[in-house]
Structures are given as structure tokens and as C-alpha cells.
Amino acid sequence: MSRISSALRRALLAPAMVMAMAAGLPAHAAEPLPPPQGDVLLTVTGQIGRSNTGTGEARFDRAMLEQLGMTEVVTSTPWHPKVMRFEGVLLRVLLSTVQARGRNLLASAHNDYTARLPVQDAERYDVILALRADGHDLTLRDMGPVFIIYPYDSDRTLKADGIYARSVWQLRRLEVR
């Protein structure tokens, strides 16, 4: 039931958000993001309109990310021996939530690996911030707790080294530029 009501809520809110953005108004202007209650998994910085800190950052714990709505991508990857079922938040939903205004993202991992992603990727493909793989929460030991996953099997152009390099695992930070 919660999945249906969550989907219905998003469907009802989507037109209002589009109208607000078209009018040049922030979609959630009066509503700040709630502070994380658990361990922070992801911090979003840069050109964003919504935050939950005094420093303009948006920090998310697992529950906050899951509440944005989970979706599934079933795909092969170059890092796994079999087709995997990933569950996570659509990147475009996260970017909308923080009112991202940039054209590019700088994704940073726990080991300081960085990759640049065009925001257009999130609009064009169902790129997710995976929190689970094959039904198990991702941890630092298995490329988590957040892993950028493209739907590689949905479009042959996604099976390319340049796209794989954007698939940051152990993601800890996104900077909107």
C-alpha cells in the first residue's frame, strides 16, 4: 500500500513541480529538507536550492534516500559475474529534490576517486543511486553504500568505458556544477 500511495503522491506532485519550475519558482521553496537521523550516506553540494545544513549542503541518510522512492534496474555490469538487480533512487529524483541547477556533477567516492557526469544523463537514462544489490543493502565492502548504476543493458551506447567510469561506487558526495 505504501508503494502505491508513494507513487500516487509523486504523480500528483509532478505537475505542480513542473509548473513551479516553469514559472521560475523553486518546487519546494518553503520546505527545507529534514536533517538526517542516521549515518549520512550521501552529501550533495554546489548549485542546489534546498539543503538541510547551515552550509548549503544536503545530507542524506539511508531512510531519507529510500523515502524519495526506490526503483529497480536489472542489468549486467563489468564488475559482477552475473546480471544483477539493483534498487535505488533515480538520480533525477534526487537532483529535483535538492533543486539542482547545474549542468554537471562531480561524483566523489570514499577513496577519493572522482568522475564527472552530465546532468543530462540523469534526464535521459534511468540512472540510479543504488542502495541494494540482489536484495542486500550495499556496504563499503561491496561497492556501497551508494553506487551509481546506469541501465547498461537498455542501450548499447551505455556499455562503454566512458560510462563505466561515471559509475562511481562507494559514492559519498555529489557536487552540482
Side-chain angles (χ1 to χ4, degrees):
M1 182 72 173
S2 66
R3 196 175 240 182
I4 293 170
S5 60
S6 177
L8 180 60
R9 184 172 54 247
R10 284 192 305 273
L12 293 173
L13 289 175
M17 290 176 60
V18 169
M19 289 174 49
M21 288 188 291
L25 302 172
H28 303 282
E31 183 184 332
L33 291 172
Q37 301 301 307
D39 293 337
V40 173
L41 300 186
L42 180 65
T43 301
V44 184
T45 64
Q47 297 178 30
I48 61 174
R50 287 181 78 202
S51 69
N52 55 9
T53 69
T55 59
E57 295 180 337
R59 295 180 184 159
F60 293 87
D61 62 19
R62 181 176 295 277
M64 292 170 68
L65 290 169
E66 290 175 352
Q67 287 173 359
L68 295 178
M70 299 286 281
T71 193
E72 187 176 278
V73 170
V74 178
T75 190
S76 59
T77 79
W79 311 285
H80 300 91
K82 63 180 183 117
V83 171
M84 300 288 289
R85 181 175 52 90
F86 294 97
E87 297 169 76
V89 177
L90 284 166
L91 179 56
R92 67 177 158 261
V93 169
L94 176 83
L95 295 175
S96 174
T97 298
V98 299
Q99 297 175 352
R101 296 183 299 264
R103 292 184 179 200
N104 293 290
L105 303 172
L106 180 64
S108 301
H110 281 273
N111 68 356
D112 294 326
Y113 174 81
T114 61
R116 295 190 195 298
L117 293 79
V119 168
Q120 184 179 27
D121 281 4
E123 297 162 359
R124 184 173 181 191
Y125 305 108
D126 286 341
V127 179
I128 67 169
L129 302 173
L131 302 172
R132 291 188 195 100
D134 285 346
H136 300 286
D137 287 350
L138 291 171
T139 67
L140 280 174
R141 291 180 188 243
D142 53 16
M143 305 174 123
V146 182
F147 187 173
I148 298 175
I149 294 289
Y150 282 72
Y152 311 106
D153 293 345
S154 70
D155 185 327
R156 66 187 169 119
T157 62
L158 296 177
K159 291 187 173 195
D161 289 340
I163 298 296
Y164 294 144
R166 297 174 187 168
S167 303
V168 177
W169 59 73
Q170 298 179 336
L171 180 69
R172 68 176 174 83
R173 184 179 224 61
L174 284 173
E175 181 185 344
V176 181
R177 297 176 162 194

